[in-house]
Amino acid sequence: MHPKNCYSPEGRRNLVRDRGALTPEAVRCWLAETRRLGVAPALARFLVKLDRMSRTALDAAERIALLREIKRPLLKLVASLPKPRLTAVGEYPTGTGEITLEQRLYCLTIKNLRQALADLDQSSDFHSAELDKARRWLLRNLFRFLDRQVRFGLLYGRSVPRFTWQTLHDLYSYVSTRRLAMPRAIARRHGRWDDFDPRLAYRELLLLGLADSITKGRRFTPELIEEIAGFAQTCRLAEPDGFVGEFNVYRTDLSVDMPPQKVVGALTESFRGWVLIPGSGFFQCLQSEMHLNRRLTPGCLSSFGYFAR
């Protein structure tokens, strides 16, 4: 039996045709009622509503309209949710492997965003300016909710849900392989959309994932997360062909549900993906954190090769 992918849209044949109260007007009334509730019942209502949306046949415009209505109240709810607490020894409980309710909220939101994007791409007018504006909104929010998912895991010592990294890799491949119709001013900014750069967002998440794998899943402070993400400005993604035979290579495999991983020994063959070159200062940042707070595994940063110089 294949593991469940919480991000994967439902097949069209599985969608319910009766949309019931899933209209912008009805959702606005629903939100007004939900705001009067406490955090726990509001959370339950959001989980049910997002799940219902993900299982209902809506066209792209309808789903996007609902997501626009829900997004801001959802983020306000997330800010109010209780977070995992430190134990007596200064660590967060690791849990049972089940995802938290906050992680579940992110999964359902991303699932609906992906469904809307898939439906949008079925349009016969794929490159119209109006649809492209909607597509950029969906892609921007997909990256941002995946960012929230990864940062939550780092902050509270939780594993991200399965298929998080595969979803991120697929999203970046989508952006990279399609010539999205963009206004000329945006195109001149080399792919930046409304002050959002999907390539930079992808590199930030790859660096956070690499830091997590290097440090063996230890907990991160918000300040360290921001510092690591900042190295994305100088980080590079390189074609793997030129690194065959090299040591200390950090491999990002687009077909594997994992963040970048250090290759053991030399890279013996090319692959479908990228070699991540973190840039100057990245490893030194992690090493400084290890010495200052003693939270990182000793010896985990002992060998970086020429990428660290």
Side-chain angles (χ1 to χ4, degrees), residues 21-22 73 75 113 119 123 142 155 161 179 186 227 238 240 267 279 291:
L22 293 179
L75 295 179
L113 289 165
D119 291 340
S123 169
L142 277 165
L155 281 171
R179 291 183 175 275
I186 296 176
E227 190 172 358
L267 181 65
H291 291 315

Side-chain angles (χ1 to χ4, degrees), residues 227-259:
E227 190 172 358
I228 291 170
F231 288 106
Q233 297 285 351
T234 55
C235 167
R236 292 194 296 120
L237 295 176
E239 295 286 348
D241 293 357
F243 291 85
V244 174
E246 297 284 355
F247 290 83
N248 298 304
V249 173
Y250 294 89
R251 170 177 177 151
T252 305
D253 196 320
L254 296 181
S255 61
V256 177
D257 181 33
M258 294 180 70

Side-chain angles (χ1 to χ4, degrees), residues 57-308:
L58 302 166
D59 65 34
E62 291 170 331
R63 197 177 302 276
I64 290 171
L66 297 182
L67 288 168
R68 286 182 180 275
E69 293 287 346
I70 285 175
K71 177 187 169 183
R72 184 171 293 181
L74 170 65
L75 295 179
K76 287 184 178 180
L77 171 65
V78 166
S80 302
L81 291 177
K83 308 301 181 187
R85 294 184 178 182
L86 289 170
T87 64
V89 295
E91 296 291 342
Y92 287 104
T94 56
T96 61
E98 295 292 326
I99 65 174
T100 68
L101 292 177
E102 183 167 336
Q103 289 174 308
R104 177 69 176 155
L105 271 180
Y106 296 147
C107 283
L108 287 169
T109 304
I110 291 167
K111 183 177 182 178
N112 275 285
L113 289 165
R114 291 186 73 190
Q115 183 67 63
L117 183 62
D119 291 340
L120 203 65
D121 287 347
Q122 297 299 314
S123 169
S124 58
D125 193 16
F126 181 83
H127 284 301
S128 77
E130 182 179 350
L131 290 188
D132 189 64
K133 182 178 179 181
R135 189 174 290 108
R136 292 198 304 273
W137 185 87
L138 290 169
L139 290 168
R140 183 168 61 246
N141 281 286
L142 277 165
F143 274 109
R144 286 178 172 167
F145 276 94
L146 284 167
D147 181 270
R148 283 179 168 272
Q149 192 76 279
V150 170
R151 288 176 184 243
F152 180 89
L154 292 175
L155 281 171
Y156 301 110
R158 304 288 305 203
S159 297
V160 296
R162 292 192 67 174
F163 302 105
T164 295
W165 293 105
Q166 188 62 66
T167 300
L168 176 65
H169 297 325
D170 291 346
L171 181 61
Y172 185 71
S173 296
Y174 176 98
V175 171
S176 301
T177 57
R178 285 165 172 76
R179 291 183 175 275
L180 302 181
M182 291 186 293
R184 188 173 300 174
I186 296 176
R188 282 199 297 266
R189 297 202 297 268
H190 306 288
R192 291 177 62 89
W193 311 328
D194 306 323
D195 296 323
F196 174 75
D197 185 347
R199 298 166 305 171
L200 181 64
Y202 183 60
R203 295 198 303 269
E204 285 181 1
L205 289 172
L206 292 183
L207 287 174
L208 291 173
L210 176 60
D212 190 39
S213 63
I214 286 175
T215 60
K216 311 302 181 186
R218 298 304 179 93
R219 132 179 112 81
F220 286 64
T221 63
E223 295 76 18
L224 179 59
I225 289 175
E226 290 302 324
E227 190 172 358
I228 291 170
F231 288 106
Q233 297 285 351
T234 55
C235 167
R236 292 194 296 120
L237 295 176
E239 295 286 348
D241 293 357
F243 291 85
V244 174
E246 297 284 355
F247 290 83
N248 298 304
V249 173
Y250 294 89
R251 170 177 177 151
T252 305
D253 196 320
L254 296 181
S255 61
V256 177
D257 181 33
M258 294 180 70
Q261 300 291 312
K262 183 178 179 179
V263 175
V264 177
L267 181 65
T268 57
E269 59 183 5
S270 188
F271 59 93
R272 179 176 171 265
W274 310 99
V275 169
L276 178 69
I277 305 176
S280 176
F282 173 78
F283 295 107
Q284 289 85 345
C285 168
L286 293 184
Q287 196 161 32
S288 296
E289 180 72 8
M290 179 183 70
H291 291 315
L292 286 173
N293 295 304
R294 305 294 182 186
R295 284 204 299 269
L296 307 186
T297 304
C300 67
L301 304 170
S302 60
S303 177
F304 308 135
Y306 61 86
F307 289 165

